[in-house]
Amino acid sequence: MARIVDKAAKRQQLVRAAARVFAQQGFSNTSMASVAQAAAVSKGSLYDYFDSKEALFQAVFADYASSLMAQLAPALTAASPLEQLQALINGAVEQLQADLSLYPLTLEFWACAGSGTQRQIFRDAMARFYQAMRNLLTDVIERGQQAGQFRHAGDASAMATIIVAALDGLMLQYWLAPDLPLDVLKARFLDHLIRGME
């Protein structure tokens, strides 16, 4: 009897294995053969799911972005907008700390958005991802304004953009210098942010 393969689960397994290889070797230096080896499948099996390295890398980005959004979703169950904002920022930083080895993927995504044959594809995909992050934070800040918690936040969308930019910068610096006291820096950022908005 032929073994039934869960194609969705197999595809995700391949994408997660590819993410590790791309993070370690970079997009340019990664081959489909090296991904197949890391995933313990034949190269032909990998091509059954992805017709090119570019298509595979696009799938890695989609999985990376959707996983991060899914991991942040529980923050929205916190009792108040203030607690939701704190949970979102804490969750983003904790995700980085949980697997710092995958952070180079973000640099590879940026590189593809800046040049090469996938430039427009990655620019558009990253624009959608950042817009989703800004929308998430904007909604929380607006709810906080309506509840009287963030009386001095000003334009909620502008504040959300500043928060995303600050987190991006903090994460990049931590990857470059892992001895930075990330938890202390995050706490100070949150303290100044919330006191300013309140």
Side-chain angles (χ1 to χ4, degrees):
M1 184 177 196
R3 188 167 59 99
I4 298 173
V5 176
D6 182 338
K7 291 201 166 194
K10 184 67 173 179
R11 185 181 190 278
Q12 186 173 58
Q13 175 199 343
L14 296 173
V15 167
R16 297 284 166 89
R20 298 252 169 226
V21 180
F22 283 125
Q24 290 167 4
Q25 300 180 7
F27 176 76
S28 296
N29 295 327
T30 295
S31 66
M32 292 292 269
S34 61
V35 172
Q37 182 178 13
V41 299
S42 69
K43 196 160 75 164
S45 292
L46 185 58
Y47 275 108
D48 285 342
Y49 289 85
F50 304 99
D51 60 10
S52 66
K53 183 172 78 166
E54 289 75 15
L56 176 57
F57 196 52
Q58 290 165 27
V60 168
F61 175 80
D63 182 67
Y64 186 89
S66 65
S67 293
L68 178 57
M69 295 300 285
Q71 285 155 3
L72 294 179
L76 300 178
T77 64
S80 71
L82 172 59
E83 291 167 324
Q84 290 172 12
L85 180 62
Q86 291 172 319
L88 282 169
I89 292 172
N90 285 328
V93 172
E94 286 163 10
Q95 178 57 27
L96 170 71
Q97 290 174 303
D99 202 343
L100 190 60
S101 66
L102 284 180
Y103 183 80
L105 280 174
T106 62
L107 305 179
E108 293 297 319
F109 298 148
W110 274 113
C112 282
S115 63
T117 58
Q118 301 186 90
R119 181 175 187 173
Q120 197 60 49
I121 292 169
F122 270 91
R123 180 174 176 170
D124 292 346
M126 292 188 76
R128 287 191 299 271
F129 170 71
Y130 275 100
Q131 185 65 60
M133 291 292 292
R134 290 194 302 272
N135 289 346
L136 188 65
L137 286 162
T138 298
D139 289 346
V140 171
I141 293 167
E142 286 177 343
R143 287 198 299 274
Q145 289 173 318
Q146 291 161 8
Q149 289 184 314
F150 302 145
R151 289 171 297 178
H152 300 285
D155 183 317
S157 177
M159 185 59 67
T161 302
I162 291 165
I163 293 170
V164 171
L167 286 172
D168 251 2
L170 183 60
M171 291 175 179
L172 174 61
Q173 290 185 65
Y174 179 68
W175 178 70
L176 291 169
D179 57 331
L180 284 173
L182 184 60
D183 290 330
V184 173
L185 295 171
K186 176 196 67 178
R188 286 184 182 172
F189 170 64
L190 262 172
D191 180 55
H192 287 295
L193 173 70
I194 289 167
R195 278 197 292 153
M197 290 201 299
E198 287 179 328

